[in-house]
Amino acid sequence: MIHAHDGPARAPDASRTLDAILANASPETRDTIRVLGEILGEQPASALTPTSFAIQHLGVDAVHLASEKFTGPGTSLAILANLLRIEMERHATQVIVGSPGDGLPPTWAQLDLGPDDKVSVPGRLIAFFPAGTLASEPLCVLVDDRHWIRDFAVLSAATAKPVAEAVLRNFCDRQKTAENPLRGRVLEARVVEGCLRLGIAASLANRREGLIFPADIWTEVDVFLAAATTRRDILRDLGLGTNRGMLVAGPPGVGKTHLVRVIATELAGRFTTILADANAMRHMISDLYEAADAFGPTLIVLDDIDLVLGHRDSNGDNAALADFLATLDGVIEREDILTIATTNDPKSLDPAAQRSSRFDMVVSVPMPDEHSRACILRRHLDPLGSPQRGHRRAQCLGLLEHPQRPLQCFLHHRAWCSDSIRTHCRSDPVSPSQR
């Protein structure tokens, strides 16, 4: 029997939105309702574009939707995605995650933090944060990290645009804090699918004691380090800036790369070190310095720069040289950027690349003199020797005490030196590293 209902119809409760209804529903109930919605012809959530997702959850139309975007290097985007992951975990019970559209589910990527150490970060998705979570206003955060699109955006109602700007600025500033897991570490810069990518490199532990250099070289290095650390605030107050450049020149094998690694070791923790390979130097030098914005104080190492940069009179491709000059001129707009480059032949570099505005210090590493050669030889021979063979080591060191006839001394001692070292390696209980 059908009973008639007299009286005015009850108006629907406006507060009973779909999200409110599903807030206390079980996962099974949610899945059932979603399937029923698709059966009844509603658009599935996976087909919603990020814009449609934001309009639906922010309660605005397309005209009143605002978007604040960050576009930068791929590594910066991965770090921002990691910060988004932190916020999503912090407000896990309130955040609603949507897909990037195209009928695809939300996707996640891997951020490499070292050997056997990876963390999953958002790769392509949009997340809705209700008011009182990420900010005082409801916001959506979009991340889309593909090699042809790299976007990170905060979407809001037009009236909340200042709030969205502040949230995006806060995300960018947090890259330079301890929340950035790559900050203060040694990174390798390489080109992957046309994009600059920074990966974790092995930690450096090179000490000054491992190098035999004249004292004046260490004096120059100390001045360079002081300008970047203990004297940094003084230089900034004087209006001299906090960016510095050092060009280390010398013939092959004199320890230029080792010297750079010693400097990086002494700056470890306070500075992020980026080691650029030749491909990154040649094609991504601008992106390399742009990536440094995500780390605060940064040391950028350009090893064997003469292999990439040439001289404009060499009739070769000067594109890399032009990019390098323009990029270093633009570094003045940044702070706390140290650049160290090495070269075997300074004369092969264009004079413009060596100007003091780009490298305010040039350190020339000479071939070792007699005293340095003696120190080097003692360092390598002492671990192999034993007391009864002391006279043999002394004879070998005698090579350095007769500079007027080094060839004769060498020919006289060459046979027993090779036999002696071979005998040591066969009979003496020395470690593999000593061998």
Side-chain angles (χ1 to χ4, degrees):
M1 179 181 295
I2 300 176
H3 298 277
H5 178 72
D6 296 330
R10 183 185 305 172
D13 187 353
S15 64
R16 295 283 289 173
T17 63
L18 179 61
D19 290 338
I21 294 172
L22 296 179
N24 298 319
S26 67
E28 294 78 10
T29 302
R30 289 172 178 265
D31 292 339
T32 301
I33 293 176
R34 185 178 298 109
V35 171
L36 288 174
E38 295 185 18
I39 293 175
L40 295 175
E42 291 187 5
Q43 190 178 35
S46 60
L48 286 176
T49 65
T51 299
S52 299
F53 178 91
I55 289 173
Q56 176 179 316
H57 289 85
L58 295 176
V60 298
D61 55 31
V63 176
H64 297 93
L65 181 67
S67 175
E68 294 299 317
K69 290 186 176 182
F70 167 88
T71 302
T75 301
S76 296
L77 198 60
I79 297 169
L80 290 173
N82 184 58
L83 294 172
L84 175 59
R85 174 191 64 83
I86 294 174
E87 294 299 332
M88 292 171 64
E89 292 177 352
R90 183 175 296 163
H91 306 289
T93 59
Q94 298 169 281
V95 172
I96 299 174
V97 179
S99 78
D102 304 326
L104 299 175
T107 61
W108 295 71
Q110 295 292 316
L111 179 60
D112 187 4
L113 303 181
D116 302 321
D117 187 9
K118 291 180 173 60
V119 60
S120 294
V121 300
R124 293 189 65 206
L125 57 79
I126 184 169
F128 169 67
F129 291 84
T133 54
L134 196 59
S136 58
E137 298 284 345
L139 300 171
C140 288
V141 181
L142 167 71
V143 60
D144 192 347
D145 189 3
R146 290 173 283 177
H147 67 270
W148 67 91
I149 294 178
R150 292 174 295 178
D151 286 334
F152 186 90
V154 179
L155 294 83
S156 69
T159 55
K161 184 176 180 180
V163 177
E165 292 175 346
V167 168
L168 181 60
R169 187 165 52 251
N170 178 260
F171 269 113
C172 294
D173 291 342
R174 286 165 64 186
Q175 293 183 95
K176 300 181 180 181
T177 69
E179 289 184 296
N180 181 347
L182 303 183
R183 185 173 181 268
R185 303 181 69 173
V186 180
L187 310 176
E188 290 179 332
R190 58 190 184 279
V191 180
V192 179
E193 295 181 333
C195 298
L196 182 75
R197 294 291 182 178
L198 301 181
I200 297 293
S203 299
L204 302 179
N206 301 82
R207 306 297 177 187
R208 295 194 182 200
E209 296 76 14
L211 282 175
I212 305 297
F213 278 165
D216 58 336
I217 290 181
W218 292 120
T219 299
E220 294 288 336
V221 170
D222 288 336
V223 171
F224 180 78
L225 292 175
T229 54
T230 58
R231 303 295 182 184
R232 187 182 71 175
D233 293 338
I234 295 177
L235 294 175
R236 180 186 286 114
D237 293 341
L238 293 174
L240 299 178
T242 58
N243 301 320
R244 290 292 176 270
M246 174 190 288
L247 180 63
V248 182
V254 295
K256 300 185 298 297
T257 300
H258 197 154
L259 173 61
V260 174
R261 291 176 177 270
V262 168
I263 294 174
T265 298
E266 296 187 1
L267 292 174
R270 294 174 292 175
F271 279 71
T272 302
T273 297
I274 301 178
L275 309 174
D277 65 8
N279 203 21
M281 285 191 282
R282 181 176 290 108
H283 301 293
M284 292 284 175
I285 190 70
S286 178
D287 288 354
L288 181 64
Y289 279 84
E290 187 179 358
D293 290 340
F295 301 104
T298 304
L299 169 64
I300 296 178
V301 178
L302 310 175
D303 206 8
D304 291 325
I305 196 173
D306 49 307
L307 299 180
V308 177
L309 304 183
H311 198 291
R312 68 186 71 192
D313 295 335
S314 62
N315 298 322
D317 183 8
N318 293 321
L321 174 63
D323 290 344
F324 176 80
L325 299 179
T327 298
L328 261 66
D329 287 342
V331 170
I332 195 172
E333 301 174 1
R334 297 183 169 93
E335 286 190 341
D336 301 327
I337 302 293
L338 304 183
T339 302
I340 300 183
T342 67
T343 176
N344 293 335
D345 184 12
K347 295 180 180 179
S348 67
L349 295 176
D350 193 273
Q354 304 182 56
R355 288 177 185 166
S356 58
S357 59
R358 295 172 179 118
F359 293 107
D360 47 3
M361 182 177 293
V362 178
V363 175
S364 297
V365 181
M367 293 293 289
D369 57 16
E370 181 178 335
H371 173 72
S372 297
R373 292 196 300 272
C375 293
I376 294 170
L377 196 54
R378 287 192 184 93
R379 172 169 297 170
H380 289 286
L381 288 179
D382 282 349
L384 296 174
S386 57
Q388 60 269 31
R389 298 190 179 100
H391 68 286
R392 291 288 181 93
R393 297 200 308 279
Q395 285 179 313
C396 191
L397 291 174
L399 290 172
L400 303 169
E401 298 169 0
H402 298 83
Q404 70 279 11
R405 50 190 179 90
L407 180 59
Q408 294 90 327
C409 289
F410 175 76
L411 292 175
H412 177 73
H413 294 290
R414 182 178 63 178
W416 71 256
C417 277
S418 60
D419 290 341
S420 178
I421 292 177
R422 189 178 298 111
T423 300
H424 290 333
C425 291
R426 288 176 176 172
S427 60
D428 286 359
V430 295
S431 66
S433 61
Q434 290 175 321
R435 293 182 183 179

